[in-house]
Structures are given as structure tokens and as C-alpha cells.
Amino acid sequence: MDLHDIAARLGVPVEDVERVHRLAGDSPSAPLPARADAPALLDRLAVRPDDADEIMAGWPDAESPLWTPELRWLLDRTIALVRADLGGYVWLPPGPELPRDRGPAWRHLYVYAYLALVDVVRAYHRDHGVPDGVSWVTLADLGRNLAIDRRMRREGWPVIQSWLTLHVRGAVYELGRLQHHRGDGAIGLHVPDSGPLTPDAVSASLDEARTFFARHFPDEPYTAFSCGSWLLDPQLREYLPEDSNIIRFQRRFELEPYVESDGPDADVEVRRFVFRTLSTPFDQLPRRTALQRAIVDHLAAGRHWQWRQGRFPI
């Protein structure tokens, strides 16, 4: 198919389609699991029943009228694009942002790509001796993020679709309370939405990571843990008590000098993670917790949050 025609039919910029074509090249795709096996797999990946029903309704059967040639091309080349970077660990947008209100095939195209790559990344895990339990709990972040996107009224997906390519390339591993991200000399830390960020839970996760990466990725020497997040913004200390879990998490890190343009817009990210909305009017945001009140009061005063980078030795 002509790339300009594909872009027009998808309703996306032709540059986005050309990027997929360029990065995928002639790389092989991977098949989706059999439709009969999909419900059990979705359950294993912690996908909620409402999301699983939508995914099954849009399943890319050969005879499905939902799957136009351009959608089938994009799914095939997206799988190839991500598979070609198996073992990579940088953020990788899998393809253009699609108009997801056009039905389940459009809404979940990148979910189908994820499902096609589960066996591929599990083989990568086995090659590195990663325990099966770690593989599944890591890959089950799919269900968690679909639930978050639903809670956000579908606003969160453009970021989530790129985030999930890390899991199916073997870049991220969930070890206890934290997710650990392979990188250049440092293990990046991510904080999933999975309960209190207690010091004991964080310490246990860090200890597990020290053993995990030395055992399963011995050729990748790591000297530090790192994190980039609004959670490391020292302005939070103006609002939260010193014994709060967030402040105790902050104290583990030595912060790098603040650079305003470094990283995502923290004002947007606090709305994403604290309120799970990007569009709710400011005066309607909830103020039930100390953190929510801090975020709202800070922004109401005309101030801004900072995306901060920090690290500490392994």
C-alpha cells in the first residue's frame, strides 16, 4: 500500500506512517495468540473483564470487517518495529496516535501488538534466566494501565502505548514495590500504582533488584539507581511532613541540578498520576489527601512543579 494512502485512511500524519515503515523495515512480525487462548492470556495479564470484552470484540480475525487493510498493515509493522528492538531500553513510540473512538480495532491496536509480543519477550526472559513469576507480574502491567486509561476517560493512552513497549522488549522488570528499568549504567526506578510507597517496601525492592540484575544481566554493570519524576521535586517538602513516604523516598536520592526543559511537563504529570485526569477543571480537582491539596494549592498560587532527576549508588 502507498504510505500516503495509508496515512490518509488512518487519519494520521504521513510522517508517522513513514517512521513506522522506516523503523520496521523488512523485520519479521509475530503472530497473535489464537483467539481461543486469548481470554486466559488476558486474565494472566490482569486485564479487567470490561477491557477484555472490548479487546475480544475487536479481535483481528482474518474475516473481521473491523480490520481494514491499513489497520492490518499498521498492526503488522508495529509488531515488527517493536520486535526489531528486542533488548532495547529507550522509550519507543510504537506508532501514530489513532482516533480511538472509531471502534475496538482502533482503540486497542497497540494492545494486540503487545499480545503478539508476549511469547517473544518471554523467550528473551528465558534466555536471561528470568523467573517465570517475574515475567508474568511484569507483563501484567498491561491490565493495570488499561484500567488507568479507562479511569482517565481514554486521555492517558498516548503515553501508555509507548510505556508498554518497554515491557515487551525486556527493558522493565517489576520486583516488589518498584519497576526497574535497564539503562546506561543505572537502573531506572518507576513507581507503579500499587499501594503505599513505604520505606520497607522500597528497600526490599532495591535489594531484590541488586541480586536480579547481577544474576540475569551480568554483562550490564550498574553502579546506581536513578529516577526522573515529579516525586523528587523538593518543593513537596513545603507541604508534606518529613515522615511521609514520598519525602522519605526523596531522601534516598542526590538530585541533579534542575533544568527547566529537562523531562516532561511536571504540572501535567502530577495531574496524570495524582488525579488520573488531564481535562477536569482545576477547581473541580479533589482535595481529599495531603498530596492532592499540595498539588492544587501550589498550582493555584501560580507556581509550577518540577520534573527532577536523581540517583544514588547501588
PDB file of all heavy atoms in Angstrom, residues 169-206:
ATOM      1  N   ARG A 169       9.959  -5.539  25.320  1.00  0.00           N
ATOM      2  CA  ARG A 169      11.339  -5.586  24.814  1.00  0.00           C
ATOM      3  C   ARG A 169      12.323  -6.039  25.891  1.00  0.00           C
ATOM      4  O   ARG A 169      13.528  -6.060  25.665  1.00  0.00           O
ATOM      5  CB  ARG A 169      11.752  -4.205  24.277  1.00  0.00           C
ATOM      6  CG  ARG A 169      11.081  -3.849  22.959  1.00  0.00           C
ATOM      7  CD  ARG A 169      11.533  -2.504  22.443  1.00  0.00           C
ATOM      8  NE  ARG A 169      11.025  -1.426  23.269  1.00  0.00           N
ATOM      9  CZ  ARG A 169      11.729  -0.342  23.626  1.00  0.00           C
ATOM     10  NH1 ARG A 169      12.988  -0.213  23.275  1.00  0.00           N
ATOM     11  NH2 ARG A 169      11.158   0.588  24.355  1.00  0.00           N
ATOM     12  N   GLY A 170      11.819  -6.374  27.080  1.00  0.00           N
ATOM     13  CA  GLY A 170      12.704  -6.842  28.144  1.00  0.00           C
ATOM     14  C   GLY A 170      13.461  -5.736  28.829  1.00  0.00           C
ATOM     15  O   GLY A 170      14.531  -5.964  29.386  1.00  0.00           O
ATOM     16  N   ALA A 171      12.896  -4.530  28.846  1.00  0.00           N
ATOM     17  CA  ALA A 171      13.583  -3.387  29.439  1.00  0.00           C
ATOM     18  C   ALA A 171      13.188  -3.146  30.884  1.00  0.00           C
ATOM     19  O   ALA A 171      13.981  -2.606  31.662  1.00  0.00           O
ATOM     20  CB  ALA A 171      13.310  -2.125  28.617  1.00  0.00           C
ATOM     21  N   VAL A 172      11.964  -3.514  31.263  1.00  0.00           N
ATOM     22  CA  VAL A 172      11.419  -3.207  32.591  1.00  0.00           C
ATOM     23  C   VAL A 172      11.066  -4.498  33.304  1.00  0.00           C
ATOM     24  O   VAL A 172      10.527  -5.437  32.686  1.00  0.00           O
ATOM     25  CB  VAL A 172      10.174  -2.298  32.471  1.00  0.00           C
ATOM     26  CG1 VAL A 172       9.374  -2.282  33.760  1.00  0.00           C
ATOM     27  CG2 VAL A 172      10.587  -0.884  32.098  1.00  0.00           C
ATOM     28  N   TYR A 173      11.360  -4.513  34.623  1.00  0.00           N
ATOM     29  CA  TYR A 173      11.035  -5.674  35.452  1.00  0.00           C
ATOM     30  C   TYR A 173      10.416  -5.189  36.753  1.00  0.00           C
ATOM     31  O   TYR A 173      10.978  -4.321  37.432  1.00  0.00           O
ATOM     32  CB  TYR A 173      12.295  -6.509  35.725  1.00  0.00           C
ATOM     33  CG  TYR A 173      12.860  -7.070  34.440  1.00  0.00           C
ATOM     34  CD1 TYR A 173      13.785  -6.333  33.692  1.00  0.00           C
ATOM     35  CD2 TYR A 173      12.416  -8.283  33.942  1.00  0.00           C
ATOM     36  CE1 TYR A 173      14.259  -6.813  32.483  1.00  0.00           C
ATOM     37  CE2 TYR A 173      12.887  -8.771  32.737  1.00  0.00           C
ATOM     38  CZ  TYR A 173      13.802  -8.038  32.004  1.00  0.00           C
ATOM     39  OH  TYR A 173      14.259  -8.509  30.810  1.00  0.00           O
ATOM     40  N   GLU A 174       9.268  -5.755  37.099  1.00  0.00           N
ATOM     41  CA  GLU A 174       8.608  -5.395  38.350  1.00  0.00           C
ATOM     42  C   GLU A 174       9.102  -6.342  39.441  1.00  0.00           C
ATOM     43  O   GLU A 174       8.849  -7.553  39.395  1.00  0.00           O
ATOM     44  CB  GLU A 174       7.094  -5.474  38.201  1.00  0.00           C
ATOM     45  CG  GLU A 174       6.360  -4.940  39.414  1.00  0.00           C
ATOM     46  CD  GLU A 174       4.916  -4.560  39.135  1.00  0.00           C
ATOM     47  OE1 GLU A 174       4.589  -4.243  37.967  1.00  0.00           O
ATOM     48  OE2 GLU A 174       4.113  -4.572  40.086  1.00  0.00           O
ATOM     49  N   LEU A 175       9.795  -5.765  40.410  1.00  0.00           N
ATOM     50  CA  LEU A 175      10.388  -6.528  41.505  1.00  0.00           C
ATOM     51  C   LEU A 175       9.888  -5.934  42.812  1.00  0.00           C
ATOM     52  O   LEU A 175      10.401  -4.923  43.281  1.00  0.00           O
ATOM     53  CB  LEU A 175      11.924  -6.457  41.435  1.00  0.00           C
ATOM     54  CG  LEU A 175      12.552  -6.862  40.093  1.00  0.00           C
ATOM     55  CD1 LEU A 175      14.035  -6.516  40.081  1.00  0.00           C
ATOM     56  CD2 LEU A 175      12.345  -8.360  39.837  1.00  0.00           C
ATOM     57  N   GLY A 176       8.847  -6.524  43.371  1.00  0.00           N
ATOM     58  CA  GLY A 176       8.266  -5.959  44.574  1.00  0.00           C
ATOM     59  C   GLY A 176       7.563  -4.647  44.275  1.00  0.00           C
ATOM     60  O   GLY A 176       6.843  -4.511  43.286  1.00  0.00           O
ATOM     61  N   ARG A 177       7.803  -3.642  45.094  1.00  0.00           N
ATOM     62  CA  ARG A 177       7.049  -2.383  45.018  1.00  0.00           C
ATOM     63  C   ARG A 177       7.404  -1.537  43.813  1.00  0.00           C
ATOM     64  O   ARG A 177       6.595  -0.720  43.372  1.00  0.00           O
ATOM     65  CB  ARG A 177       7.285  -1.574  46.314  1.00  0.00           C
ATOM     66  CG  ARG A 177       6.539  -0.243  46.371  1.00  0.00           C
ATOM     67  CD  ARG A 177       5.041  -0.461  46.333  1.00  0.00           C
ATOM     68  NE  ARG A 177       4.284   0.786  46.269  1.00  0.00           N
ATOM     69  CZ  ARG A 177       3.969   1.423  45.149  1.00  0.00           C
ATOM     70  NH1 ARG A 177       4.365   0.926  43.967  1.00  0.00           N
ATOM     71  NH2 ARG A 177       3.269   2.535  45.177  1.00  0.00           N
ATOM     72  N   LEU A 178       8.606  -1.689  43.265  1.00  0.00           N
ATOM     73  CA  LEU A 178       9.064  -0.804  42.197  1.00  0.00           C
ATOM     74  C   LEU A 178       9.258  -1.559  40.892  1.00  0.00           C
ATOM     75  O   LEU A 178       9.488  -2.767  40.874  1.00  0.00           O
ATOM     76  CB  LEU A 178      10.391  -0.143  42.588  1.00  0.00           C
ATOM     77  CG  LEU A 178      10.410   0.679  43.877  1.00  0.00           C
ATOM     78  CD1 LEU A 178      11.829   1.151  44.176  1.00  0.00           C
ATOM     79  CD2 LEU A 178       9.462   1.864  43.784  1.00  0.00           C
ATOM     80  N   GLN A 179       9.199  -0.803  39.804  1.00  0.00           N
ATOM     81  CA  GLN A 179       9.589  -1.312  38.492  1.00  0.00           C
ATOM     82  C   GLN A 179      11.003  -0.809  38.209  1.00  0.00           C
ATOM     83  O   GLN A 179      11.322   0.362  38.457  1.00  0.00           O
ATOM     84  CB  GLN A 179       8.615  -0.828  37.421  1.00  0.00           C
ATOM     85  CG  GLN A 179       7.220  -1.436  37.570  1.00  0.00           C
ATOM     86  CD  GLN A 179       6.169  -0.678  36.790  1.00  0.00           C
ATOM     87  OE1 GLN A 179       6.185   0.551  36.756  1.00  0.00           O
ATOM     88  NE2 GLN A 179       5.230  -1.382  36.183  1.00  0.00           N
ATOM     89  N   HIS A 180      11.826  -1.706  37.672  1.00  0.00           N
ATOM     90  CA  HIS A 180      13.243  -1.412  37.463  1.00  0.00           C
ATOM     91  C   HIS A 180      13.556  -1.474  35.973  1.00  0.00           C
ATOM     92  O   HIS A 180      13.231  -2.456  35.305  1.00  0.00           O
ATOM     93  CB  HIS A 180      14.101  -2.412  38.236  1.00  0.00           C
ATOM     94  CG  HIS A 180      13.856  -2.365  39.717  1.00  0.00           C
ATOM     95  ND1 HIS A 180      14.677  -1.677  40.584  1.00  0.00           N
ATOM     96  CD2 HIS A 180      12.864  -2.904  40.476  1.00  0.00           C
ATOM     97  CE1 HIS A 180      14.203  -1.808  41.820  1.00  0.00           C
ATOM     98  NE2 HIS A 180      13.107  -2.539  41.776  1.00  0.00           N
ATOM     99  N   HIS A 181      14.193  -0.432  35.489  1.00  0.00           N
ATOM    100  CA  HIS A 181      14.342  -0.171  34.060  1.00  0.00           C
ATOM    101  C   HIS A 181      15.825  -0.219  33.702  1.00  0.00           C
ATOM    102  O   HIS A 181      16.617   0.587  34.196  1.00  0.00           O
ATOM    103  CB  HIS A 181      13.749   1.217  33.778  1.00  0.00           C
ATOM    104  CG  HIS A 181      13.703   1.612  32.357  1.00  0.00           C
ATOM    105  ND1 HIS A 181      13.049   2.748  31.932  1.00  0.00           N
ATOM    106  CD2 HIS A 181      14.228   1.063  31.223  1.00  0.00           C
ATOM    107  CE1 HIS A 181      13.176   2.878  30.631  1.00  0.00           C
ATOM    108  NE2 HIS A 181      13.898   1.869  30.174  1.00  0.00           N
ATOM    109  N   ARG A 182      16.184  -1.189  32.862  1.00  0.00           N
ATOM    110  CA  ARG A 182      17.573  -1.290  32.397  1.00  0.00           C
ATOM    111  C   ARG A 182      17.975   0.007  31.694  1.00  0.00           C
ATOM    112  O   ARG A 182      17.156   0.650  31.050  1.00  0.00           O
ATOM    113  CB  ARG A 182      17.740  -2.464  31.431  1.00  0.00           C
ATOM    114  CG  ARG A 182      17.521  -3.817  32.070  1.00  0.00           C
ATOM    115  CD  ARG A 182      17.492  -4.959  31.050  1.00  0.00           C
ATOM    116  NE  ARG A 182      18.493  -4.817  30.027  1.00  0.00           N
ATOM    117  CZ  ARG A 182      18.254  -4.753  28.715  1.00  0.00           C
ATOM    118  NH1 ARG A 182      17.015  -4.825  28.267  1.00  0.00           N
ATOM    119  NH2 ARG A 182      19.236  -4.626  27.857  1.00  0.00           N
ATOM    120  N   GLY A 183      19.271   0.381  31.832  1.00  0.00           N
ATOM    121  CA  GLY A 183      19.726   1.619  31.205  1.00  0.00           C
ATOM    122  C   GLY A 183      21.226   1.652  31.066  1.00  0.00           C
ATOM    123  O   GLY A 183      21.906   0.623  31.184  1.00  0.00           O
ATOM    124  N   ASP A 184      21.765   2.826  30.806  1.00  0.00           N
ATOM    125  CA  ASP A 184      23.205   3.006  30.636  1.00  0.00           C
ATOM    126  C   ASP A 184      23.856   3.224  31.994  1.00  0.00           C
ATOM    127  O   ASP A 184      23.974   4.352  32.475  1.00  0.00           O
ATOM    128  CB  ASP A 184      23.488   4.202  29.720  1.00  0.00           C
ATOM    129  CG  ASP A 184      23.086   3.930  28.280  1.00  0.00           C
ATOM    130  OD1 ASP A 184      23.284   2.782  27.832  1.00  0.00           O
ATOM    131  OD2 ASP A 184      22.571   4.852  27.625  1.00  0.00           O
ATOM    132  N   GLY A 185      24.268   2.141  32.646  1.00  0.00           N
ATOM    133  CA  GLY A 185      24.994   2.246  33.899  1.00  0.00           C
ATOM    134  C   GLY A 185      24.129   2.478  35.119  1.00  0.00           C
ATOM    135  O   GLY A 185      24.634   2.463  36.244  1.00  0.00           O
ATOM    136  N   ALA A 186      22.842   2.711  34.947  1.00  0.00           N
ATOM    137  CA  ALA A 186      21.956   2.955  36.083  1.00  0.00           C
ATOM    138  C   ALA A 186      20.647   2.208  35.866  1.00  0.00           C
ATOM    139  O   ALA A 186      20.169   2.078  34.738  1.00  0.00           O
ATOM    140  CB  ALA A 186      21.687   4.447  36.266  1.00  0.00           C
ATOM    141  N   ILE A 187      20.076   1.737  36.951  1.00  0.00           N
ATOM    142  CA  ILE A 187      18.762   1.099  36.925  1.00  0.00           C
ATOM    143  C   ILE A 187      17.730   2.175  37.231  1.00  0.00           C
ATOM    144  O   ILE A 187      17.731   2.751  38.327  1.00  0.00           O
ATOM    145  CB  ILE A 187      18.681  -0.029  37.965  1.00  0.00           C
ATOM    146  CG1 ILE A 187      19.726  -1.114  37.671  1.00  0.00           C
ATOM    147  CG2 ILE A 187      17.274  -0.633  37.990  1.00  0.00           C
ATOM    148  CD1 ILE A 187      19.895  -2.116  38.803  1.00  0.00           C
ATOM    149  N   GLY A 188      16.875   2.452  36.267  1.00  0.00           N
ATOM    150  CA  GLY A 188      15.852   3.473  36.463  1.00  0.00           C
ATOM    151  C   GLY A 188      14.704   2.928  37.285  1.00  0.00           C
ATOM    152  O   GLY A 188      14.263   1.792  37.099  1.00  0.00           O
ATOM    153  N   LEU A 189      14.204   3.739  38.194  1.00  0.00           N
ATOM    154  CA  LEU A 189      13.115   3.332  39.075  1.00  0.00           C
ATOM    155  C   LEU A 189      11.809   3.980  38.641  1.00  0.00           C
ATOM    156  O   LEU A 189      11.765   5.184  38.366  1.00  0.00           O
ATOM    157  CB  LEU A 189      13.426   3.730  40.524  1.00  0.00           C
ATOM    158  CG  LEU A 189      14.720   3.158  41.117  1.00  0.00           C
ATOM    159  CD1 LEU A 189      14.904   3.660  42.545  1.00  0.00           C
ATOM    160  CD2 LEU A 189      14.718   1.632  41.075  1.00  0.00           C
ATOM    161  N   HIS A 190      10.764   3.173  38.590  1.00  0.00           N
ATOM    162  CA  HIS A 190       9.415   3.652  38.324  1.00  0.00           C
ATOM    163  C   HIS A 190       8.516   3.197  39.466  1.00  0.00           C
ATOM    164  O   HIS A 190       8.733   2.131  40.051  1.00  0.00           O
ATOM    165  CB  HIS A 190       8.875   3.098  37.007  1.00  0.00           C
ATOM    166  CG  HIS A 190       9.714   3.438  35.818  1.00  0.00           C
ATOM    167  ND1 HIS A 190       9.625   4.654  35.173  1.00  0.00           N
ATOM    168  CD2 HIS A 190      10.665   2.730  35.153  1.00  0.00           C
ATOM    169  CE1 HIS A 190      10.475   4.674  34.152  1.00  0.00           C
ATOM    170  NE2 HIS A 190      11.120   3.519  34.125  1.00  0.00           N
ATOM    171  N   VAL A 191       7.516   3.999  39.776  1.00  0.00           N
ATOM    172  CA  VAL A 191       6.631   3.720  40.911  1.00  0.00           C
ATOM    173  C   VAL A 191       5.233   3.415  40.373  1.00  0.00           C
ATOM    174  O   VAL A 191       4.478   4.334  40.044  1.00  0.00           O
ATOM    175  CB  VAL A 191       6.586   4.913  41.884  1.00  0.00           C
ATOM    176  CG1 VAL A 191       5.712   4.573  43.085  1.00  0.00           C
ATOM    177  CG2 VAL A 191       7.998   5.293  42.345  1.00  0.00           C
ATOM    178  N   PRO A 192       4.880   2.136  40.273  1.00  0.00           N
ATOM    179  CA  PRO A 192       3.539   1.801  39.773  1.00  0.00           C
ATOM    180  C   PRO A 192       2.463   2.134  40.794  1.00  0.00           C
ATOM    181  O   PRO A 192       2.732   2.313  41.984  1.00  0.00           O
ATOM    182  CB  PRO A 192       3.627   0.292  39.527  1.00  0.00           C
ATOM    183  CG  PRO A 192       4.673  -0.183  40.474  1.00  0.00           C
ATOM    184  CD  PRO A 192       5.674   0.939  40.577  1.00  0.00           C
ATOM    185  N   ASP A 193       1.248   2.194  40.313  1.00  0.00           N
ATOM    186  CA  ASP A 193       0.086   2.474  41.158  1.00  0.00           C
ATOM    187  C   ASP A 193      -0.323   1.169  41.829  1.00  0.00           C
ATOM    188  O   ASP A 193      -1.250   0.483  41.400  1.00  0.00           O
ATOM    189  CB  ASP A 193      -1.042   3.028  40.280  1.00  0.00           C
ATOM    190  CG  ASP A 193      -2.222   3.543  41.078  1.00  0.00           C
ATOM    191  OD1 ASP A 193      -2.195   3.419  42.314  1.00  0.00           O
ATOM    192  OD2 ASP A 193      -3.172   4.062  40.461  1.00  0.00           O
ATOM    193  N   SER A 194       0.376   0.826  42.932  1.00  0.00           N
ATOM    194  CA  SER A 194       0.148  -0.496  43.530  1.00  0.00           C
ATOM    195  C   SER A 194       0.290  -0.485  45.048  1.00  0.00           C
ATOM    196  O   SER A 194       0.778  -1.444  45.629  1.00  0.00           O
ATOM    197  CB  SER A 194       1.117  -1.521  42.937  1.00  0.00           C
ATOM    198  OG  SER A 194       2.457  -1.163  43.205  1.00  0.00           O
ATOM    199  N   GLY A 195      -0.102   0.607  45.686  1.00  0.00           N
ATOM    200  CA  GLY A 195      -0.095   0.615  47.143  1.00  0.00           C
ATOM    201  C   GLY A 195       0.881   1.618  47.724  1.00  0.00           C
ATOM    202  O   GLY A 195       1.548   2.365  47.005  1.00  0.00           O
ATOM    203  N   PRO A 196       0.975   1.653  49.062  1.00  0.00           N
ATOM    204  CA  PRO A 196       1.831   2.636  49.736  1.00  0.00           C
ATOM    205  C   PRO A 196       3.301   2.480  49.366  1.00  0.00           C
ATOM    206  O   PRO A 196       3.787   1.369  49.171  1.00  0.00           O
ATOM    207  CB  PRO A 196       1.604   2.331  51.229  1.00  0.00           C
ATOM    208  CG  PRO A 196       0.315   1.590  51.287  1.00  0.00           C
ATOM    209  CD  PRO A 196       0.223   0.815  50.012  1.00  0.00           C
ATOM    210  N   LEU A 197       3.984   3.597  49.296  1.00  0.00           N
ATOM    211  CA  LEU A 197       5.412   3.618  48.957  1.00  0.00           C
ATOM    212  C   LEU A 197       6.219   3.612  50.263  1.00  0.00           C
ATOM    213  O   LEU A 197       6.984   4.523  50.550  1.00  0.00           O
ATOM    214  CB  LEU A 197       5.719   4.868  48.122  1.00  0.00           C
ATOM    215  CG  LEU A 197       7.081   4.978  47.450  1.00  0.00           C
ATOM    216  CD1 LEU A 197       7.251   3.901  46.388  1.00  0.00           C
ATOM    217  CD2 LEU A 197       7.247   6.364  46.825  1.00  0.00           C
ATOM    218  N   THR A 198       6.054   2.564  51.053  1.00  0.00           N
ATOM    219  CA  THR A 198       6.686   2.541  52.370  1.00  0.00           C
ATOM    220  C   THR A 198       8.190   2.315  52.243  1.00  0.00           C
ATOM    221  O   THR A 198       8.656   1.646  51.308  1.00  0.00           O
ATOM    222  CB  THR A 198       6.093   1.430  53.241  1.00  0.00           C
ATOM    223  OG1 THR A 198       6.390   0.155  52.649  1.00  0.00           O
ATOM    224  CG2 THR A 198       4.571   1.581  53.369  1.00  0.00           C
ATOM    225  N   PRO A 199       8.982   2.841  53.176  1.00  0.00           N
ATOM    226  CA  PRO A 199      10.431   2.626  53.121  1.00  0.00           C
ATOM    227  C   PRO A 199      10.813   1.153  53.107  1.00  0.00           C
ATOM    228  O   PRO A 199      11.742   0.762  52.388  1.00  0.00           O
ATOM    229  CB  PRO A 199      10.933   3.332  54.381  1.00  0.00           C
ATOM    230  CG  PRO A 199       9.919   4.390  54.648  1.00  0.00           C
ATOM    231  CD  PRO A 199       8.606   3.785  54.253  1.00  0.00           C
ATOM    232  N   ASP A 200      10.137   0.327  53.887  1.00  0.00           N
ATOM    233  CA  ASP A 200      10.473  -1.095  53.915  1.00  0.00           C
ATOM    234  C   ASP A 200      10.216  -1.753  52.563  1.00  0.00           C
ATOM    235  O   ASP A 200      11.020  -2.564  52.088  1.00  0.00           O
ATOM    236  CB  ASP A 200       9.667  -1.811  55.004  1.00  0.00           C
ATOM    237  CG  ASP A 200      10.162  -1.495  56.410  1.00  0.00           C
ATOM    238  OD1 ASP A 200      11.260  -0.909  56.534  1.00  0.00           O
ATOM    239  OD2 ASP A 200       9.445  -1.819  57.371  1.00  0.00           O
ATOM    240  N   ALA A 201       9.092  -1.404  51.926  1.00  0.00           N
ATOM    241  CA  ALA A 201       8.778  -1.987  50.619  1.00  0.00           C
ATOM    242  C   ALA A 201       9.781  -1.525  49.570  1.00  0.00           C
ATOM    243  O   ALA A 201      10.208  -2.311  48.705  1.00  0.00           O
ATOM    244  CB  ALA A 201       7.362  -1.609  50.205  1.00  0.00           C
ATOM    245  N   VAL A 202      10.171  -0.257  49.628  1.00  0.00           N
ATOM    246  CA  VAL A 202      11.167   0.255  48.678  1.00  0.00           C
ATOM    247  C   VAL A 202      12.510  -0.433  48.890  1.00  0.00           C
ATOM    248  O   VAL A 202      13.161  -0.879  47.932  1.00  0.00           O
ATOM    249  CB  VAL A 202      11.302   1.787  48.821  1.00  0.00           C
ATOM    250  CG1 VAL A 202      12.493   2.296  48.008  1.00  0.00           C
ATOM    251  CG2 VAL A 202      10.020   2.478  48.372  1.00  0.00           C
ATOM    252  N   SER A 203      12.950  -0.544  50.133  1.00  0.00           N
ATOM    253  CA  SER A 203      14.240  -1.175  50.420  1.00  0.00           C
ATOM    254  C   SER A 203      14.253  -2.627  49.958  1.00  0.00           C
ATOM    255  O   SER A 203      15.249  -3.102  49.388  1.00  0.00           O
ATOM    256  CB  SER A 203      14.544  -1.097  51.916  1.00  0.00           C
ATOM    257  OG  SER A 203      14.765   0.240  52.312  1.00  0.00           O
ATOM    258  N   ALA A 204      13.150  -3.350  50.193  1.00  0.00           N
ATOM    259  CA  ALA A 204      13.083  -4.750  49.771  1.00  0.00           C
ATOM    260  C   ALA A 204      13.171  -4.855  48.250  1.00  0.00           C
ATOM    261  O   ALA A 204      13.836  -5.755  47.714  1.00  0.00           O
ATOM    262  CB  ALA A 204      11.795  -5.385  50.277  1.00  0.00           C
ATOM    263  N   SER A 205      12.518  -3.949  47.541  1.00  0.00           N
ATOM    264  CA  SER A 205      12.561  -3.962  46.081  1.00  0.00           C
ATOM    265  C   SER A 205      13.969  -3.666  45.576  1.00  0.00           C
ATOM    266  O   SER A 205      14.454  -4.298  44.628  1.00  0.00           O
ATOM    267  CB  SER A 205      11.564  -2.940  45.523  1.00  0.00           C
ATOM    268  OG  SER A 205      11.549  -2.961  44.117  1.00  0.00           O
ATOM    269  N   LEU A 206      14.646  -2.713  46.198  1.00  0.00           N
ATOM    270  CA  LEU A 206      16.016  -2.384  45.797  1.00  0.00           C
ATOM    271  C   LEU A 206      16.954  -3.560  46.040  1.00  0.00           C
ATOM    272  O   LEU A 206      17.823  -3.866  45.200  1.00  0.00           O
ATOM    273  CB  LEU A 206      16.500  -1.155  46.566  1.00  0.00           C
ATOM    274  CG  LEU A 206      15.743   0.152  46.306  1.00  0.00           C
ATOM    275  CD1 LEU A 206      16.249   1.249  47.243  1.00  0.00           C
ATOM    276  CD2 LEU A 206      15.876   0.594  44.856  1.00  0.00           C
TER     277      LEU A 206
END
